[in-house]
Amino acid sequence: MLLSVVVPCFNEVETIEQVLKAIAASPVFPRHGLELIVVDDCSVDGTRKFLEEHSDLYGKLLTHDVNQGKGAALRTGLAAATGDIVIIQDADLEYDPREYSILINPIIDGKADAVFGSRFLGGGPHRVVYFWHMLGNKFLTLLSNMFTNINLTDMETCYKVFRRDLLKTFSIEENRFGFEPEITAKLARQNCIIFEVGISYYGRTYAEGKKIGWRDGVRAIYAILKYNLWAK
């Protein structure tokens, strides 16, 4: 079983090395093969320079000459993936690659088409950070569930895992964080079997580099409406 791990990154020079080493050290390898794809979305803090100088840490490096957003980086990375299962991994230290096994098992067992790692189902340590950020996540998940008629607890989670052949059936249109409700809506429209598993979460503060803001929340609301009501 070949696992493709797609890592979109923008200005993550402080964490990118640790993340890539943590991915390679995940207990799920070498029992399964690893295809590690990094997409640098026009970083300006030295991230790209570091990646170009440390090619031993990954399999493929794809780059954008203009910053386009996380969704655009994922569109580039997912198109290049060749594994049986594809895992989305942020380039910060909020999510733990040691938990890949619980994320991929429902797919390997033939029970799921996709798996979401939920920060709200327990399962491991959870750093206490922003109340309003948590409330926003829950609101967006609730709104998404109302339109998709599925009962996720964490639609906005980074950890989304898919059978690669499933990804061939749709494309990501959103360039920024709107891809989260977009991809959820597209999975639901195809009646895909989605599982959730509880994961750990080591959230960052804005001072530590967190990038998502209220404008992304507004765009997420638009994306929920667009891909559930207006999409063909």
Side-chain angles (χ1 to χ4, degrees):
M1 184 73 68
L2 179 63
L3 308 182
S4 295
V5 181
V6 178
V7 184
C9 66
F10 173 65
N11 289 351
E12 299 289 1
V13 70
E14 299 296 328
T15 58
I16 188 65
E17 180 177 12
Q18 292 172 269
V19 167
L20 296 180
K21 288 182 176 179
I23 293 169
S26 175
V28 79
F29 309 115
R31 182 159 47 95
H32 300 290
L34 168 62
E35 177 184 58
L36 181 46
I37 302 170
V38 182
V39 184
D40 181 74
D41 191 31
C42 196
S43 295
V44 294
D45 69 339
T47 300
R48 182 176 298 189
K49 183 175 185 293
F50 173 85
L51 290 168
E52 290 172 345
E53 293 176 350
H54 295 83
S55 58
D56 58 305
L57 294 177
Y58 54 85
K60 299 177 184 178
L61 173 62
L62 307 173
T63 60
H64 290 171
D65 293 331
V66 176
N67 178 252
Q68 301 177 53
K70 183 177 179 180
L74 281 174
R75 184 164 55 242
T76 297
L78 295 177
T82 63
D84 303 288
I85 295 175
V86 180
I87 302 171
I88 296 174
Q89 171 74 53
D90 279 353
D92 51 33
L93 297 173
E94 291 190 331
Y95 296 83
D96 191 348
R98 289 177 296 182
E99 298 181 335
Y100 283 172
S101 60
I102 63 173
L103 290 162
I104 67 174
N105 281 343
I107 297 178
I108 290 178
D109 292 343
K111 297 177 180 178
D113 300 311
V115 178
F116 286 32
S118 173
R119 295 164 290 180
F120 304 121
L121 284 178
H126 190 291
R127 181 181 176 182
V128 176
V129 280
Y130 299 113
F131 169 76
W132 290 108
H133 194 271
M134 176 273 294
L135 201 63
N137 281 342
K138 287 183 176 292
F139 168 74
L140 292 173
T141 297
L142 174 63
L143 186 63
S144 175
N145 288 346
M146 290 171 64
F147 285 98
T148 60
N149 195 31
I150 57 178
N151 61 337
L152 291 171
T153 65
D154 191 5
M155 179 271 295
E156 291 282 329
T157 181
C158 154
Y159 268 165
K160 293 181 172 69
V161 184
F162 316 90
R163 296 192 343 256
R164 185 176 64 87
D165 61 312
L166 181 63
L167 295 175
K168 297 178 182 178
T169 63
F170 60 84
S171 60
I172 295 175
E173 300 172 44
E174 293 292 307
N175 283 338
R176 287 182 55 79
F177 293 96
F179 82 90
E180 305 282 13
E182 175 194 354
I183 205 168
T184 302
K186 289 180 176 179
L187 290 172
R189 285 167 66 90
Q190 295 189 49
N191 295 316
C192 294
I193 301 173
I194 304 172
F195 271 50
E196 275 191 309
V197 297
I199 58 169
S200 306
Y201 181 61
Y202 305 89
R204 294 194 297 179
T205 65
Y206 286 103
E208 294 168 332
K210 195 168 191 66
K211 299 178 179 68
I212 194 169
W214 67 268
R215 291 181 179 84
D216 297 302
V218 173
R219 181 68 190 189
I221 294 173
Y222 171 78
I224 290 171
L225 298 175
K226 176 181 178 180
Y227 296 104
N228 284 286
L229 295 180
W230 307 322
K232 296 180 180 180

